[in-house]
mmCIF file of all heavy atoms in Angstrom:
data_model
loop_
_atom_site.group_PDB
_atom_site.id
_atom_site.type_symbol
_atom_site.label_atom_id
_atom_site.label_comp_id
_atom_site.label_asym_id
_atom_site.label_seq_id
_atom_site.Cartn_x
_atom_site.Cartn_y
_atom_site.Cartn_z
ATOM 1 N N THR A 24 112.446 77.833 82.569
ATOM 2 C CA THR A 24 111.533 78.944 82.819
ATOM 3 C C THR A 24 111.861 80.050 81.827
ATOM 4 O O THR A 24 113.027 80.273 81.529
ATOM 5 C CB THR A 24 111.714 79.466 84.253
ATOM 6 O OG1 THR A 24 111.546 78.370 85.149
ATOM 7 C CG2 THR A 24 110.687 80.534 84.579
ATOM 8 N N GLU A 26 111.507 84.098 80.469
ATOM 9 C CA GLU A 26 111.231 85.487 80.851
ATOM 10 C C GLU A 26 110.333 86.191 79.854
ATOM 11 O O GLU A 26 109.762 87.225 80.163
ATOM 12 C CB GLU A 26 112.538 86.282 80.979
ATOM 13 C CG GLU A 26 113.321 85.954 82.219
ATOM 14 C CD GLU A 26 114.540 86.841 82.364
ATOM 15 O OE1 GLU A 26 114.582 87.927 81.737
ATOM 16 O OE2 GLU A 26 115.462 86.439 83.090
ATOM 17 N N ASN A 49 91.088 74.696 83.117
ATOM 18 C CA ASN A 49 92.487 74.507 83.513
ATOM 19 C C ASN A 49 92.879 73.030 83.598
ATOM 20 O O ASN A 49 94.022 72.674 83.313
ATOM 21 C CB ASN A 49 92.740 75.192 84.863
ATOM 22 C CG ASN A 49 92.725 76.704 84.724
ATOM 23 O OD1 ASN A 49 92.811 77.225 83.605
ATOM 24 N ND2 ASN A 49 92.614 77.405 85.836
ATOM 25 N N ARG A 76 102.541 71.795 85.003
ATOM 26 C CA ARG A 76 102.028 72.859 85.874
ATOM 27 C C ARG A 76 102.972 74.063 85.863
ATOM 28 O O ARG A 76 102.539 75.213 85.820
ATOM 29 C CB ARG A 76 101.864 72.326 87.303
ATOM 30 C CG ARG A 76 101.297 73.360 88.254
ATOM 31 C CD ARG A 76 101.108 72.807 89.657
ATOM 32 N NE ARG A 76 100.692 73.864 90.563
ATOM 33 C CZ ARG A 76 99.428 74.198 90.810
ATOM 34 N NH1 ARG A 76 98.458 73.549 90.224
ATOM 35 N NH2 ARG A 76 99.139 75.191 91.639
ATOM 36 N N GLN A 83 100.936 81.923 82.781
ATOM 37 C CA GLN A 83 100.009 82.777 83.544
ATOM 38 C C GLN A 83 100.710 84.050 84.038
ATOM 39 O O GLN A 83 100.187 85.166 83.889
ATOM 40 C CB GLN A 83 99.497 81.968 84.737
ATOM 41 C CG GLN A 83 98.752 82.754 85.794
ATOM 42 C CD GLN A 83 98.435 81.875 86.994
ATOM 43 O OE1 GLN A 83 97.544 81.051 86.928
ATOM 44 N NE2 GLN A 83 99.166 82.036 88.081
ATOM 45 N N GLU A 84 101.900 83.895 84.591
ATOM 46 C CA GLU A 84 102.580 85.062 85.161
ATOM 47 C C GLU A 84 103.113 86.007 84.092
ATOM 48 O O GLU A 84 103.161 87.223 84.302
ATOM 49 C CB GLU A 84 103.687 84.610 86.115
ATOM 50 C CG GLU A 84 103.149 83.951 87.369
ATOM 51 C CD GLU A 84 102.013 84.758 88.012
ATOM 52 O OE1 GLU A 84 102.180 85.964 88.242
ATOM 53 O OE2 GLU A 84 100.931 84.177 88.260
ATOM 54 N N GLU A 86 101.602 86.556 81.265
ATOM 55 C CA GLU A 86 100.412 87.287 80.791
ATOM 56 C C GLU A 86 99.941 88.293 81.845
ATOM 57 O O GLU A 86 99.524 89.402 81.519
ATOM 58 C CB GLU A 86 99.304 86.296 80.425
ATOM 59 C CG GLU A 86 99.656 85.535 79.166
ATOM 60 C CD GLU A 86 98.605 84.501 78.772
ATOM 61 O OE1 GLU A 86 97.451 84.591 79.254
ATOM 62 O OE2 GLU A 86 98.934 83.599 77.985
ATOM 63 N N ARG A 87 100.025 87.910 83.115
ATOM 64 C CA ARG A 87 99.668 88.868 84.164
ATOM 65 C C ARG A 87 100.620 90.070 84.142
ATOM 66 O O ARG A 87 100.201 91.206 84.335
ATOM 67 C CB ARG A 87 99.750 88.190 85.537
ATOM 68 C CG ARG A 87 98.584 87.260 85.844
ATOM 69 C CD ARG A 87 98.781 86.586 87.180
ATOM 70 N NE ARG A 87 97.630 85.776 87.554
ATOM 71 C CZ ARG A 87 97.570 85.044 88.659
ATOM 72 N NH1 ARG A 87 98.594 85.005 89.491
ATOM 73 N NH2 ARG A 87 96.485 84.337 88.947
ATOM 74 N N LYS A 88 101.892 89.781 83.895
ATOM 75 C CA LYS A 88 102.864 90.881 83.867
ATOM 76 C C LYS A 88 102.566 91.841 82.714
ATOM 77 O O LYS A 88 102.664 93.052 82.863
ATOM 78 C CB LYS A 88 104.292 90.339 83.760
ATOM 79 C CG LYS A 88 105.339 91.420 84.052
ATOM 80 C CD LYS A 88 106.731 91.052 83.608
ATOM 81 C CE LYS A 88 107.426 90.164 84.586
ATOM 82 N NZ LYS A 88 108.908 90.151 84.370
ATOM 83 N N TRP A 91 99.797 93.985 83.823
ATOM 84 C CA TRP A 91 100.285 94.931 84.831
ATOM 85 C C TRP A 91 100.985 96.114 84.166
ATOM 86 O O TRP A 91 100.706 97.268 84.472
ATOM 87 C CB TRP A 91 101.230 94.182 85.786
ATOM 88 C CG TRP A 91 102.082 95.011 86.685
ATOM 89 C CD1 TRP A 91 103.452 95.115 86.641
ATOM 90 C CD2 TRP A 91 101.672 95.838 87.785
ATOM 91 N NE1 TRP A 91 103.898 95.945 87.633
ATOM 92 C CE2 TRP A 91 102.831 96.397 88.349
ATOM 93 C CE3 TRP A 91 100.429 96.152 88.333
ATOM 94 C CZ2 TRP A 91 102.796 97.264 89.434
ATOM 95 C CZ3 TRP A 91 100.388 97.019 89.419
ATOM 96 C CH2 TRP A 91 101.557 97.558 89.959
ATOM 97 N N PHE A 100 98.269 107.964 88.785
ATOM 98 C CA PHE A 100 98.959 108.594 89.910
ATOM 99 C C PHE A 100 100.331 109.055 89.464
ATOM 100 O O PHE A 100 100.739 108.825 88.333
ATOM 101 C CB PHE A 100 99.052 107.660 91.115
ATOM 102 C CG PHE A 100 99.661 106.311 90.830
ATOM 103 C CD1 PHE A 100 101.023 106.146 90.703
ATOM 104 C CD2 PHE A 100 98.842 105.210 90.718
ATOM 105 C CE1 PHE A 100 101.576 104.905 90.470
ATOM 106 C CE2 PHE A 100 99.389 103.956 90.479
ATOM 107 C CZ PHE A 100 100.754 103.809 90.347
ATOM 108 N N GLY A 104 108.631 106.439 89.904
ATOM 109 C CA GLY A 104 109.846 106.966 90.537
ATOM 110 C C GLY A 104 109.520 107.674 91.843
ATOM 111 O O GLY A 104 110.235 107.560 92.840
ATOM 112 N N TRP A 107 108.617 105.076 94.436
ATOM 113 C CA TRP A 107 109.840 104.394 94.884
ATOM 114 C C TRP A 107 110.591 105.256 95.896
ATOM 115 O O TRP A 107 110.994 104.790 96.964
ATOM 116 C CB TRP A 107 110.720 104.107 93.667
ATOM 117 C CG TRP A 107 111.967 103.308 93.956
ATOM 118 C CD1 TRP A 107 113.229 103.793 94.111
ATOM 119 C CD2 TRP A 107 112.054 101.898 94.128
ATOM 120 N NE1 TRP A 107 114.100 102.772 94.362
ATOM 121 C CE2 TRP A 107 113.402 101.601 94.374
ATOM 122 C CE3 TRP A 107 111.126 100.855 94.096
ATOM 123 C CZ2 TRP A 107 113.858 100.284 94.586
ATOM 124 C CZ3 TRP A 107 111.575 99.555 94.304
ATOM 125 C CH2 TRP A 107 112.923 99.282 94.545
ATOM 126 N N HIS A 114 111.129 106.464 103.802
ATOM 127 C CA HIS A 114 110.659 105.582 104.881
ATOM 128 C C HIS A 114 111.622 104.406 104.999
ATOM 129 O O HIS A 114 111.341 103.306 104.512
ATOM 130 C CB HIS A 114 109.242 105.075 104.602
ATOM 131 C CG HIS A 114 108.214 106.158 104.655
ATOM 132 N ND1 HIS A 114 107.693 106.621 105.847
ATOM 133 C CD2 HIS A 114 107.641 106.893 103.679
ATOM 134 C CE1 HIS A 114 106.814 107.583 105.589
ATOM 135 N NE2 HIS A 114 106.777 107.773 104.277
ATOM 136 N N TRP A 133 121.753 82.228 97.561
ATOM 137 C CA TRP A 133 122.795 82.312 96.547
ATOM 138 C C TRP A 133 124.056 81.576 96.988
ATOM 139 O O TRP A 133 124.718 80.890 96.227
ATOM 140 C CB TRP A 133 123.132 83.778 96.265
ATOM 141 C CG TRP A 133 123.697 83.982 94.892
ATOM 142 C CD1 TRP A 133 124.077 83.014 94.001
ATOM 143 C CD2 TRP A 133 123.924 85.222 94.261
ATOM 144 N NE1 TRP A 133 124.523 83.584 92.849
ATOM 145 C CE2 TRP A 133 124.447 84.940 92.983
ATOM 146 C CE3 TRP A 133 123.751 86.540 94.642
ATOM 147 C CZ2 TRP A 133 124.797 85.950 92.097
ATOM 148 C CZ3 TRP A 133 124.095 87.532 93.753
ATOM 149 C CH2 TRP A 133 124.610 87.239 92.497
ATOM 150 N N GLY A 171 104.091 95.063 113.546
ATOM 151 C CA GLY A 171 102.778 95.590 113.174
ATOM 152 C C GLY A 171 102.354 95.120 111.800
ATOM 153 O O GLY A 171 101.205 94.744 111.592
ATOM 154 N N LEU A 176 98.736 91.774 108.914
ATOM 155 C CA LEU A 176 98.426 90.761 107.910
ATOM 156 C C LEU A 176 97.703 89.588 108.539
ATOM 157 O O LEU A 176 96.757 89.052 107.985
ATOM 158 C CB LEU A 176 99.720 90.271 107.249
ATOM 159 C CG LEU A 176 100.342 91.227 106.260
ATOM 160 C CD1 LEU A 176 101.648 90.663 105.749
ATOM 161 C CD2 LEU A 176 99.405 91.472 105.102
ATOM 162 N N SER A 192 110.704 82.694 100.014
ATOM 163 C CA SER A 192 110.908 81.615 99.064
ATOM 164 C C SER A 192 111.135 82.183 97.666
ATOM 165 O O SER A 192 111.973 81.706 96.910
ATOM 166 C CB SER A 192 109.696 80.698 99.079
ATOM 167 O OG SER A 192 109.870 79.673 98.165
ATOM 168 N N ALA A 193 110.389 83.228 97.361
ATOM 169 C CA ALA A 193 110.568 83.886 96.066
ATOM 170 C C ALA A 193 111.975 84.448 95.965
ATOM 171 O O ALA A 193 112.591 84.443 94.905
ATOM 172 C CB ALA A 193 109.539 84.990 95.890
ATOM 173 N N PHE A 197 114.619 83.858 92.941
ATOM 174 C CA PHE A 197 115.194 85.010 92.252
ATOM 175 C C PHE A 197 116.656 84.761 91.882
ATOM 176 O O PHE A 197 117.150 85.248 90.889
ATOM 177 C CB PHE A 197 115.092 86.211 93.195
ATOM 178 C CG PHE A 197 115.525 87.512 92.607
ATOM 179 C CD1 PHE A 197 114.776 88.121 91.626
ATOM 180 C CD2 PHE A 197 116.662 88.146 93.059
ATOM 181 C CE1 PHE A 197 115.158 89.335 91.105
ATOM 182 C CE2 PHE A 197 117.050 89.364 92.550
ATOM 183 C CZ PHE A 197 116.294 89.961 91.577
ATOM 184 N N ASP A 199 118.236 81.722 91.452
ATOM 185 C CA ASP A 199 118.598 80.415 90.930
ATOM 186 C C ASP A 199 118.732 80.508 89.418
ATOM 187 O O ASP A 199 117.779 80.303 88.689
ATOM 188 C CB ASP A 199 117.527 79.386 91.310
ATOM 189 C CG ASP A 199 117.924 77.990 90.839
ATOM 190 O OD1 ASP A 199 118.990 77.866 90.205
ATOM 191 O OD2 ASP A 199 117.173 77.057 91.104
ATOM 192 N N VAL A 203 116.333 79.567 84.549
ATOM 193 C CA VAL A 203 115.732 80.603 83.705
ATOM 194 C C VAL A 203 116.402 80.674 82.341
ATOM 195 O O VAL A 203 117.620 80.628 82.231
ATOM 196 C CB VAL A 203 115.840 81.981 84.392
ATOM 197 C CG1 VAL A 203 115.258 83.059 83.501
ATOM 198 C CG2 VAL A 203 115.113 81.950 85.716
ATOM 199 N N GLN B 53 102.672 81.057 97.092
ATOM 200 C CA GLN B 53 104.137 80.948 97.117
ATOM 201 C C GLN B 53 104.665 80.526 95.745
ATOM 202 O O GLN B 53 105.684 81.028 95.271
ATOM 203 C CB GLN B 53 104.533 79.929 98.175
ATOM 204 C CG GLN B 53 106.036 79.819 98.346
ATOM 205 C CD GLN B 53 106.382 79.049 99.598
ATOM 206 O OE1 GLN B 53 105.745 79.244 100.634
ATOM 207 N NE2 GLN B 53 107.367 78.188 99.501
ATOM 208 N N GLU B 54 103.962 79.600 95.112
ATOM 209 C CA GLU B 54 104.370 79.116 93.788
ATOM 210 C C GLU B 54 104.432 80.270 92.785
ATOM 211 O O GLU B 54 105.370 80.382 91.991
ATOM 212 C CB GLU B 54 103.357 78.060 93.323
ATOM 213 C CG GLU B 54 103.626 77.479 91.945
ATOM 214 C CD GLU B 54 102.520 76.501 91.532
ATOM 215 O OE1 GLU B 54 101.329 76.786 91.817
ATOM 216 O OE2 GLU B 54 102.851 75.469 90.932
ATOM 217 N N GLU B 57 107.361 82.661 93.552
ATOM 218 C CA GLU B 57 108.624 82.060 93.105
ATOM 219 C C GLU B 57 108.787 82.222 91.600
ATOM 220 O O GLU B 57 109.863 82.551 91.116
ATOM 221 C CB GLU B 57 108.662 80.574 93.470
ATOM 222 C CG GLU B 57 108.969 80.344 94.929
ATOM 223 C CD GLU B 57 109.163 78.861 95.247
ATOM 224 O OE1 GLU B 57 109.491 78.093 94.325
ATOM 225 O OE2 GLU B 57 108.980 78.508 96.406
ATOM 226 N N ARG B 59 107.459 84.536 89.712
ATOM 227 C CA ARG B 59 107.721 85.950 89.402
ATOM 228 C C ARG B 59 109.184 86.311 89.646
ATOM 229 O O ARG B 59 109.776 87.092 88.902
ATOM 230 C CB ARG B 59 106.806 86.846 90.239
ATOM 231 C CG ARG B 59 105.380 86.780 89.762
ATOM 232 C CD ARG B 59 104.503 87.805 90.440
ATOM 233 N NE ARG B 59 103.114 87.589 90.030
ATOM 234 C CZ ARG B 59 102.100 88.337 90.415
ATOM 235 N NH1 ARG B 59 102.314 89.357 91.231
ATOM 236 N NH2 ARG B 59 100.877 88.085 89.995
ATOM 237 N N ALA B 60 109.736 85.743 90.708
ATOM 238 C CA ALA B 60 111.150 86.024 90.984
ATOM 239 C C ALA B 60 112.027 85.425 89.894
ATOM 240 O O ALA B 60 113.010 86.026 89.466
ATOM 241 C CB ALA B 60 111.528 85.468 92.352
ATOM 242 N N GLN B 61 111.654 84.237 89.442
ATOM 243 C CA GLN B 61 112.463 83.575 88.406
ATOM 244 C C GLN B 61 112.418 84.307 87.081
ATOM 245 O O GLN B 61 113.402 84.317 86.343
ATOM 246 C CB GLN B 61 111.959 82.147 88.196
ATOM 247 C CG GLN B 61 112.346 81.191 89.297
ATOM 248 C CD GLN B 61 111.890 79.785 88.950
ATOM 249 O OE1 GLN B 61 112.275 79.210 87.943
ATOM 250 N NE2 GLN B 61 111.046 79.224 89.795
ATOM 251 N N ARG B 66 117.121 90.348 88.393
ATOM 252 C CA ARG B 66 118.206 89.511 88.908
ATOM 253 C C ARG B 66 119.535 89.825 88.228
ATOM 254 O O ARG B 66 120.597 89.543 88.781
ATOM 255 C CB ARG B 66 117.855 88.039 88.734
ATOM 256 C CG ARG B 66 117.545 87.720 87.299
ATOM 257 C CD ARG B 66 116.762 86.442 87.155
ATOM 258 N NE ARG B 66 117.529 85.291 87.569
ATOM 259 C CZ ARG B 66 117.008 84.222 88.160
ATOM 260 N NH1 ARG B 66 115.739 84.201 88.438
ATOM 261 N NH2 ARG B 66 117.754 83.218 88.462
ATOM 262 N N ARG B 67 119.462 90.378 87.023
ATOM 263 C CA ARG B 67 120.705 90.712 86.303
ATOM 264 C C ARG B 67 121.078 92.184 86.427
ATOM 265 O O ARG B 67 122.078 92.622 85.872
ATOM 266 C CB ARG B 67 120.551 90.352 84.819
ATOM 267 C CG ARG B 67 120.487 88.869 84.550
ATOM 268 C CD ARG B 67 120.554 88.598 83.055
ATOM 269 N NE ARG B 67 119.454 89.231 82.344
ATOM 270 C CZ ARG B 67 118.221 88.722 82.263
ATOM 271 N NH1 ARG B 67 117.949 87.569 82.831
ATOM 272 N NH2 ARG B 67 117.274 89.340 81.607
ATOM 273 N N GLN B 79 125.144 89.633 101.271
ATOM 274 C CA GLN B 79 125.970 88.439 101.465
ATOM 275 C C GLN B 79 127.164 88.719 102.364
ATOM 276 O O GLN B 79 127.591 87.862 103.131
ATOM 277 C CB GLN B 79 126.494 87.937 100.117
ATOM 278 C CG GLN B 79 125.424 87.297 99.257
ATOM 279 C CD GLN B 79 125.963 86.924 97.895
ATOM 280 O OE1 GLN B 79 127.049 87.331 97.513
ATOM 281 N NE2 GLN B 79 125.188 86.146 97.169
ATOM 282 N N PRO B 90 118.562 100.597 95.582
ATOM 283 C CA PRO B 90 119.110 101.462 94.536
ATOM 284 C C PRO B 90 118.033 102.233 93.790
ATOM 285 O O PRO B 90 116.860 101.859 93.817
ATOM 286 C CB PRO B 90 119.788 100.467 93.593
ATOM 287 C CG PRO B 90 119.040 99.189 93.790
ATOM 288 C CD PRO B 90 118.615 99.173 95.226
ATOM 289 N N GLU B 94 111.812 103.477 85.852
ATOM 290 C CA GLU B 94 110.388 103.208 86.083
ATOM 291 C C GLU B 94 110.031 101.776 85.680
ATOM 292 O O GLU B 94 109.222 101.122 86.346
ATOM 293 C CB GLU B 94 109.533 104.207 85.298
ATOM 294 C CG GLU B 94 109.710 105.640 85.767
ATOM 295 C CD GLU B 94 108.398 106.314 86.146
ATOM 296 O OE1 GLU B 94 107.371 105.935 85.581
ATOM 297 O OE2 GLU B 94 108.423 107.222 87.005
ATOM 298 N N GLY B 98 108.503 98.940 88.108
ATOM 299 C CA GLY B 98 107.310 98.162 87.768
ATOM 300 C C GLY B 98 107.570 96.672 87.935
ATOM 301 O O GLY B 98 106.737 95.931 88.454
ATOM 302 N N GLU B 99 108.759 96.248 87.507
ATOM 303 C CA GLU B 99 109.142 94.840 87.679
ATOM 304 C C GLU B 99 109.178 94.476 89.163
ATOM 305 O O GLU B 99 108.726 93.400 89.570
ATOM 306 C CB GLU B 99 110.538 94.584 87.072
ATOM 307 C CG GLU B 99 110.594 94.631 85.562
ATOM 308 C CD GLU B 99 110.125 93.326 84.918
ATOM 309 O OE1 GLU B 99 109.838 92.365 85.660
ATOM 310 O OE2 GLU B 99 110.031 93.297 83.678
ATOM 311 N N LEU B 111 102.342 94.158 102.849
ATOM 312 C CA LEU B 111 103.316 94.329 103.943
ATOM 313 C C LEU B 111 103.746 95.792 104.044
ATOM 314 O O LEU B 111 103.856 96.356 105.134
ATOM 315 C CB LEU B 111 104.541 93.446 103.702
ATOM 316 C CG LEU B 111 104.401 91.957 103.990
ATOM 317 C CD1 LEU B 111 105.581 91.190 103.420
ATOM 318 C CD2 LEU B 111 104.303 91.698 105.490
ATOM 319 N N LYS B 118 101.591 102.839 110.009
ATOM 320 C CA LYS B 118 102.079 103.243 111.334
ATOM 321 C C LYS B 118 102.968 104.476 111.261
ATOM 322 O O LYS B 118 103.449 104.962 112.276
ATOM 323 C CB LYS B 118 102.850 102.090 111.965
ATOM 324 C CG LYS B 118 101.977 100.885 112.242
ATOM 325 C CD LYS B 118 102.752 99.789 112.903
ATOM 326 C CE LYS B 118 101.839 98.624 113.231
ATOM 327 N NZ LYS B 118 100.755 98.979 114.158
ATOM 328 N N GLU B 119 103.242 104.936 110.039
ATOM 329 C CA GLU B 119 104.193 106.041 109.868
ATOM 330 C C GLU B 119 103.584 107.272 109.208
ATOM 331 O O GLU B 119 104.310 108.203 108.867
ATOM 332 C CB GLU B 119 105.341 105.564 108.963
ATOM 333 C CG GLU B 119 106.215 104.498 109.550
ATOM 334 C CD GLU B 119 107.679 104.818 109.345
ATOM 335 O OE1 GLU B 119 108.030 105.287 108.259
ATOM 336 O OE2 GLU B 119 108.453 104.629 110.290
ATOM 337 N N ASP B 125 102.463 111.155 102.573
ATOM 338 C CA ASP B 125 102.378 109.775 103.064
ATOM 339 C C ASP B 125 101.022 109.167 102.714
ATOM 340 O O ASP B 125 100.932 107.999 102.334
ATOM 341 C CB ASP B 125 102.571 109.728 104.589
ATOM 342 C CG ASP B 125 103.999 110.051 105.002
ATOM 343 O OD1 ASP B 125 104.895 109.963 104.142
ATOM 344 O OD2 ASP B 125 104.209 110.389 106.187
ATOM 345 N N ASN B 131 98.587 105.374 96.446
ATOM 346 C CA ASN B 131 99.236 104.786 95.268
ATOM 347 C C ASN B 131 99.510 103.291 95.466
ATOM 348 O O ASN B 131 99.280 102.477 94.563
ATOM 349 C CB ASN B 131 100.566 105.504 94.974
ATOM 350 C CG ASN B 131 100.353 106.911 94.439
ATOM 351 O OD1 ASN B 131 101.295 107.682 94.297
ATOM 352 N ND2 ASN B 131 99.113 107.280 94.154
ATOM 353 N N ASN B 143 95.420 89.329 88.883
ATOM 354 C CA ASN B 143 95.550 87.935 89.338
ATOM 355 C C ASN B 143 94.247 87.169 89.121
ATOM 356 O O ASN B 143 94.253 86.001 88.722
ATOM 357 C CB ASN B 143 95.899 87.886 90.825
ATOM 358 C CG ASN B 143 97.303 88.404 91.110
ATOM 359 O OD1 ASN B 143 98.097 88.583 90.197
ATOM 360 N ND2 ASN B 143 97.599 88.643 92.374
ATOM 361 N N ILE B 146 93.416 86.332 85.158
ATOM 362 C CA ILE B 146 94.203 85.356 84.391
ATOM 363 C C ILE B 146 94.628 84.230 85.327
ATOM 364 O O ILE B 146 95.444 84.435 86.229
ATOM 365 C CB ILE B 146 95.462 86.017 83.776
ATOM 366 C CG1 ILE B 146 95.061 87.190 82.889
ATOM 367 C CG2 ILE B 146 96.273 84.991 82.990
ATOM 368 C CD1 ILE B 146 96.221 88.037 82.409
ATOM 369 N N SER B 147 94.079 83.069 85.127
ATOM 370 C CA SER B 147 94.411 81.944 86.009
ATOM 371 C C SER B 147 94.425 80.649 85.219
ATOM 372 O O SER B 147 93.406 80.244 84.666
ATOM 373 C CB SER B 147 93.381 81.882 87.144
ATOM 374 O OG SER B 147 93.649 80.773 87.960
ATOM 375 N N TYR B 148 95.585 80.008 85.166
ATOM 376 C CA TYR B 148 95.732 78.749 84.427
ATOM 377 C C TYR B 148 95.962 77.543 85.327
ATOM 378 O O TYR B 148 96.099 76.431 84.839
ATOM 379 C CB TYR B 148 96.886 78.851 83.419
ATOM 380 C CG TYR B 148 96.638 79.854 82.308
ATOM 381 C CD1 TYR B 148 97.681 80.590 81.768
ATOM 382 C CD2 TYR B 148 95.361 80.044 81.791
ATOM 383 C CE1 TYR B 148 97.461 81.509 80.755
ATOM 384 C CE2 TYR B 148 95.129 80.954 80.777
ATOM 385 C CZ TYR B 148 96.180 81.690 80.262
ATOM 386 O OH TYR B 148 95.961 82.593 79.261
#
Side-chain angles (χ1 to χ4, degrees):
Chain A
T24 305
E26 286 185 20
N49 289 345
R76 182 179 174 90
Q83 168 186 285
E84 292 313 309
E86 289 178 18
R87 284 177 175 178
K88 193 196 279 198
W91 166 247
F100 54 78
W107 185 260
H114 293 279
W133 205 351
L176 285 177
S192 179
F197 185 70
D199 183 358
V203 178
Chain B
Q53 184 167 319
E54 179 183 40
E57 283 187 23
R59 288 188 186 182
Q61 285 184 59
R66 56 199 294 146
R67 291 189 300 279
Q79 288 175 348
E94 295 235 332
E99 289 279 356
L111 283 168
K118 296 182 177 299
E119 293 226 319
D125 290 341
N131 289 171
N143 291 347
I146 303 171
S147 177
Y148 294 146

